Amino acid sequence: MDLASWTDAELMSVHGELHTWCVKRKAPTWGNRFWSWTGYLGAFALLTGLTDMFFGGPTPHNAGLTALGVIACFSWYKGDKQRKKNSDFLEKLEEELTRRGLKYNQGG
């Protein structure tokens, strides 16, 4: 994405919205802490389901536990990947704003 072709107003608008999103995502709230544990709990469920299937044979309970683990791990992975993409894009926006000599909120 070529940020050089964006207008100053577009850059400032997107930067403000993305900066607000990143600040909310980094806040020490219950939801953000829960999301961090989702990946660990998903991996635990996945491994528990697979281990139980290996030693006790496949049952609906083990298959369900494995499926829930896969879903939780995948959701956490996609969320974390999106967070990283947004943070990287915010850095590029800030570089472009600095290059143009525009002031923006650097706190966060």
Side-chain angles (χ1 to χ4, degrees):
M1 183 176 297
D2 185 24
L3 296 176
S5 63
W6 288 27
T7 65
D8 293 348
E10 289 174 330
L11 284 174
M12 294 299 287
S13 173
V14 172
H15 177 270
E17 292 174 14
L18 198 54
H19 179 72
T20 302
W21 182 88
C22 285
V23 168
K24 285 181 184 177
R25 182 66 175 92
K26 291 178 183 177
T29 61
W30 183 87
N32 290 341
R33 285 188 292 253
F34 176 74
W35 188 247
S36 297
W37 282 96
T38 302
Y40 297 123
L41 292 175
F44 180 75
L46 173 66
L47 294 174
T48 301
L50 290 176
T51 303
D52 288 349
M53 272 194 235
F54 181 75
F55 289 112
T59 64
H61 177 264
N62 296 342
L65 192 59
T66 302
L68 286 175
V70 167
I71 291 168
C73 287
F74 182 74
S75 297
W76 176 83
Y77 169 75
K78 291 297 284 183
D80 195 54
K81 188 175 176 181
Q82 186 64 45
R83 182 190 58 81
K84 288 178 184 177
K85 284 172 60 176
N86 285 350
S87 296
D88 292 343
F89 187 63
L90 182 62
E91 289 177 15
K92 289 179 184 177
L93 281 173
E94 289 176 352
E95 288 173 8
E96 181 65 21
L97 289 170
T98 302
R99 187 186 70 77
R100 292 185 186 190
L102 299 171
K103 302 270 184 204
Y104 61 91
N105 183 8
Q106 295 179 357

